[in-house]
Amino acid sequence: MADCSQISLMLGAFEDQELEPHEYQEVAFHLARCERCSAELADYATLGRELRTLSADLPLDGFKNAVMHRIEQLPVPFSVRIQRIFDSVSELFPAGLGMALAGAIAAAITVVVVTPYAQVAFNHSARVGELASAQRALTSADDQVAAAQHQAAEDVAEVEEEPHAIISKLESDIPSVAVWSEPRMDTTVIWLPDQQ
Amino acid sequence: MLRKPRNVVLLIAVVCAFAVPGHAFSQSSHRQVIVIEIDSVLAADTNQGVDPQLGPMGTRLRKLFHYTTYHLVSTESRRTEMGKVIEFSMPGGRILHIQPREIDGNMIAMEVLLFDGEKPLLTTDLKLPNKGRLIVGGPHYEQGALIISIAANMAPDQSSPGAVTTAAEAK
């Protein structure tokens, strides 16, 4: 069992509820039987209440800025300064170049892709007229092609219907005798190469 | 054997019925006259142009060949019958034999032989369209080549066969 001198050392902590459970129980058991320690505890409680009423909040305005100012005033090693400069440059330039590149790509896409559509949109009626005239020209060309094909077919049929000479026997001591026919001239040629 | 005179008469009638048209057909076939036209042309590269006497044939020759000179050497036209050989004397001592053989529709079957003296240069059997033309060319002649144009036309039987035109210039 602890005596008053030992209990007295723990009264402050008891008041502030900072004791371990078995210490707290021992102090509370002692206080229940000791008027002098109970009075001393009462004095602690009164003192604590009075201190809390007397305490005032310190002004914190500008505290952060003051701290940061003090930090900035601290001496910075040269290597750290160089590192900071490189970091700032590396952060600045890639970002700027990236933005410039993105802007150039966007402009190119706009010129290449958007402009024709804009032209089509602005000249839609004119385009329709051009398409119509082109279609008429195409139809006319088709007719001409059909007529030409018909004429060609007639020509071929005419040529095919024309009788050709039929050679059933050809004998000569001259080698490389050439024979050909010209249907349009009703002519067949037998060419005997000169042997002299 | 035939025992009844009526059968003999019937047999004679049948024979006559087939014999008369056949004889007529044979006569008409043999009487078909063919007009053979022969033109002999000297083709050379002597830059003398086309002989005006060639007429349309000059244009035809220029389309067929690439010589710079076409000169008409001789021209001859003769009538003949089927099966008969006609002989043409060609420039340079060449000899041309033509024998029309038959008519097949619009075609005239014939045999054409070309000799260089006694040496045969060409022997051919062919069917030429009526009014068609066969050109035999190539043998050396003077400073160029000899081109022989042979045209065959079916002609009505108006007169006996024989020469109807004269040679322009036979060498």
Side-chain angles (χ1 to χ4, degrees), chain A residues 55-189:
Chain A
S55 67
D57 294 334
L58 295 173
L60 296 177
D61 295 339
F63 176 76
K64 178 181 177 183
N65 291 335
V67 171
M68 295 303 295
H69 180 70
R70 289 288 301 273
I71 292 173
E72 289 173 358
Q73 294 300 319
L74 294 173
V76 178
F78 181 75
S79 60
V80 175
R81 290 183 189 179
I82 296 299
Q83 184 65 41
R84 286 179 181 177
I85 290 172
F86 278 111
D87 290 344
S88 62
V89 170
S90 62
E91 291 175 0
L92 178 64
F93 277 88
L97 288 176
M99 289 296 291
L101 187 60
I105 292 172
I109 292 173
T110 301
V111 169
V112 172
V113 177
V114 177
T115 302
Y117 285 104
Q119 289 178 353
V120 169
F122 285 127
N123 301 322
H124 180 67
S125 58
R127 294 275 181 173
V128 169
E130 291 175 4
L131 285 174
S133 61
Q135 194 167 9
R136 285 194 295 272
L138 185 61
T139 304
S140 176
D142 287 342
D143 293 341
Q144 292 177 0
V145 168
Q149 288 176 339
H150 182 68
Q151 183 63 37
E154 288 182 348
D155 291 345
V156 169
E158 183 180 349
V159 169
E160 289 177 348
E161 288 173 1
E162 288 178 353
H164 298 172
I166 301 170
I167 297 176
S168 55
K169 185 181 81 173
L170 196 154
E171 295 176 355
S172 177
D173 292 336
I174 300 172
S176 305
V177 174
V179 180
W180 72 92
S181 182
E182 295 288 344
R184 289 195 173 278
M185 291 188 280
D186 291 336
T187 301
T188 300
V189 180

Side-chain angles (χ1 to χ4, degrees), chain A residues 163-174 180 182 185-194 196, chain B residues 60 64-65 67 107 111 121-129 132-140 147:
Chain A
H164 298 172
I166 301 170
I167 297 176
S168 55
K169 185 181 81 173
L170 196 154
E171 295 176 355
S172 177
D173 292 336
I174 300 172
W180 72 92
E182 295 288 344
M185 291 188 280
D186 291 336
T187 301
T188 300
V189 180
I190 298 175
W191 192 258
L192 309 171
D194 186 17
Q196 296 184 5
Chain B
R60 181 178 301 172
L64 287 170
F65 309 107
Y67 291 98
M107 309 285 279
E111 183 185 49
L121 293 178
L122 173 70
T123 301
T124 180
D125 290 344
L126 75 157
K127 288 182 179 178
L128 201 61
R133 190 175 295 269
L134 172 68
I135 288 179
V136 178
H140 181 78
I147 293 177

